[in-house]
Amino acid sequence: DQRDKRDRDKERRKVQNQVERLEKQLADLEKEEKQLQSEVMKGGMPAQQLEKGYEKLGDLAKRIASVMVEWETASGQLQEIDA
């Protein structure tokens, strides 16, 4: 019925927006990770700064993994709505 379709459309838009937001977040995090990797790999950094760089890379990797899990969940929800 009409109300069910409206509710489904509303839910789909909400999940679609979430998927898009997470994709943008992933792109931003991956860009930050690449920049940091190139800085760290360039060499010439003091040991302490290098250690902080590697620490930050580890943190970024964890954040990327976490956002990826959220994205996979939201994408799965979107597929269920579309099914």
Side-chain angles (χ1 to χ4, degrees):
D1 103 324
Q2 197 68 12
R3 185 182 173 125
D4 287 344
K5 183 180 177 345
R6 260 199 318 262
D7 288 347
R8 250 193 334 275
D9 288 348
K10 184 178 176 184
E11 181 65 20
R12 188 189 189 293
R13 276 192 307 275
K14 183 179 137 194
V15 175
Q16 179 69 45
N17 287 339
Q18 183 181 11
V19 166
E20 289 171 5
R21 179 183 55 80
L22 290 167
E23 286 173 347
K24 183 185 180 327
Q25 199 175 348
L26 274 172
D28 291 346
L29 286 169
E30 288 170 347
K31 182 179 173 186
E32 186 179 346
E33 182 184 42
K34 275 192 178 113
Q35 287 174 327
L36 187 57
Q37 280 175 342
S38 87
E39 285 176 31
V40 168
M41 299 302 165
K42 191 167 30 178
M45 268 187 185
Q48 191 174 14
Q49 195 176 352
L50 192 61
E51 192 175 314
K52 281 187 178 181
Y54 279 117
E55 202 173 291
K56 190 170 181 184
L57 275 171
D59 290 344
L60 275 170
K62 287 178 192 167
R63 285 173 51 204
I64 288 170
S66 171
V67 172
M68 184 64 83
V69 168
E70 283 184 65
W71 177 83
E72 288 170 352
T73 301
S75 292
Q77 288 174 335
L78 195 57
Q79 287 177 345
E80 284 176 23
I81 291 169
D82 287 343

